[in-house]
Amino acid sequence: QLRNVVHFFLEDWFLSAVLGIVTAALSISMDISIEYLQGYRVKLYEHAIRNYHYYTALISWTAYITILTGASALFCHFFAKQAVGSGIPELKVIMCGFKMKNYLSLQTMIGKIFGLTLALGSGLPVGKEGPFVHIGAIVASLLTRITSLCRYQAFFSSEGREMQMLSSGCAVGIACTFSAPAGAVLYGIESTSRFFAVRNYWRAFFATTCSALIFRFANAAIIPPEIAGTITAYYQTYFPSSVFVVEELPSIFGFAWCLIRIYS
């Protein structure tokens, strides 16, 4: 009985929390790196304007973008070709039951992170939500493999359970980008899965909530205010800046639990 309880907490709570926290930490690290790279571009341009000619500033601005973009493309091409693109179509293929080599490997995740950081740091108008869906799925897959190394039987030994973990990883990738746990779960249901087990709702919601909480408070606790451009809005509105209030979490969990008990 004790072993079943340990398995329950490890499988359903601990790994879901680790999935959300690790993916959010990767997102925060990328945001910091991207903001520093974009800040260096502006400083280089201002330095060229003050000390040299306007044409020199234009050349430095263009060269900075070209070098970082080229480095991003070359890194992905030679280090991890599977990291090219958003990765969402490939994830849909994998979750339909097909095996695709190295698309959920650590090497692909490293290539995706470095390539995306360099591309966004150069100033290209591309988003990180698509690639981060792939990154979240890779983190979920790596956690599954680490779990399988335990002395007991793998908690995710069944293919269906592994697909549920991948779906949670896709939802976490959206949650740590937009800080929207409920919307992220809906995205994981609608866009990446042919079917979605009702019992996996609260697992995915718990993982996305952990991810959104870490990402939500990163602005005040970790990221310096002068480079917090990717979390705070550039064009401020009169809407509340907080996506959710911490005091709402108990009621949200209670409501989700009631829905699960009703429809399960």
Side-chain angles (χ1 to χ4, degrees), residues 32-166:
I32 295 175
S33 303
I34 290 167
E35 287 297 326
Y36 274 118
L37 288 175
Q38 292 182 351
Y40 292 150
R41 181 188 59 177
V42 175
K43 291 180 181 179
L44 179 63
Y45 177 80
E46 293 176 349
H47 176 75
I49 284 289
R50 288 193 302 265
N51 299 284
Y52 302 100
H53 199 270
Y54 285 103
Y55 292 109
T56 305
L58 177 61
I59 293 173
S60 65
W61 180 276
T62 307
Y64 188 90
I65 297 175
T66 304
I67 291 173
L68 288 186
T69 305
S72 173
L74 291 175
F75 185 84
C76 290
H77 179 75
F78 290 104
F79 184 77
K81 293 183 179 180
Q82 293 81 4
V84 176
S86 68
I88 296 179
E90 291 80 5
L91 277 177
K92 291 183 178 180
V93 172
I94 292 173
M95 297 184 71
C96 287
F98 296 91
K99 300 295 183 180
M100 301 190 69
K101 186 177 180 180
N102 294 331
Y103 269 93
L104 297 176
S105 64
L106 179 62
Q107 182 178 357
T108 301
M109 185 178 72
I110 295 174
K112 179 81 74 173
I113 291 174
F114 276 92
L116 184 62
T117 301
L118 292 175
L120 291 175
S122 67
L124 289 181
V126 294
K128 57 178 284 192
E129 58 275 4
F132 242 87
V133 171
H134 190 190
I135 292 174
I138 294 176
V139 174
S141 177
L142 293 177
L143 288 176
T144 301
R145 298 175 194 175
I146 293 173
T147 307
S148 65
L149 299 178
C150 296
R151 56 176 296 187
Y152 301 109
Q153 294 294 326
F155 302 132
F156 298 97
S157 56
S158 64
E159 185 177 355
R161 189 67 180 88
E162 184 177 356
M163 292 301 106
Q164 293 176 13
M165 191 68 174
L166 287 179

Side-chain angles (χ1 to χ4, degrees), residues 159-239:
E159 185 177 355
R161 189 67 180 88
E162 184 177 356
M163 292 301 106
Q164 293 176 13
M165 191 68 174
L166 287 179
S167 181
S168 298
C170 295
V172 166
I174 294 295
C176 67
T177 304
F178 297 109
S179 187
V185 175
L186 293 177
Y187 176 86
I189 297 172
E190 296 174 358
S191 300
T192 60
S193 301
R194 292 183 303 168
F195 60 90
F196 198 89
V198 176
R199 64 179 179 273
N200 198 43
Y201 278 124
W202 70 271
R203 295 190 186 108
F205 184 74
F206 180 70
T208 55
T209 301
C210 292
S211 178
L213 280 175
I214 298 297
F215 191 76
R216 165 73 172 77
F217 294 111
N219 191 19
I222 300 176
I223 299 181
E226 63 272 10
I227 64 165
T230 58
I231 294 182
T232 57
Y234 283 112
Y235 303 100
Q236 295 291 339
T237 62
Y238 294 102
F239 295 103

Side-chain angles (χ1 to χ4, degrees), residues 251-264:
S251 60
I252 293 175
F253 277 115
F255 180 71
W257 176 256
C258 292
L259 289 179
I260 293 171
R261 298 297 296 177
I262 291 173
Y263 293 103
S264 61

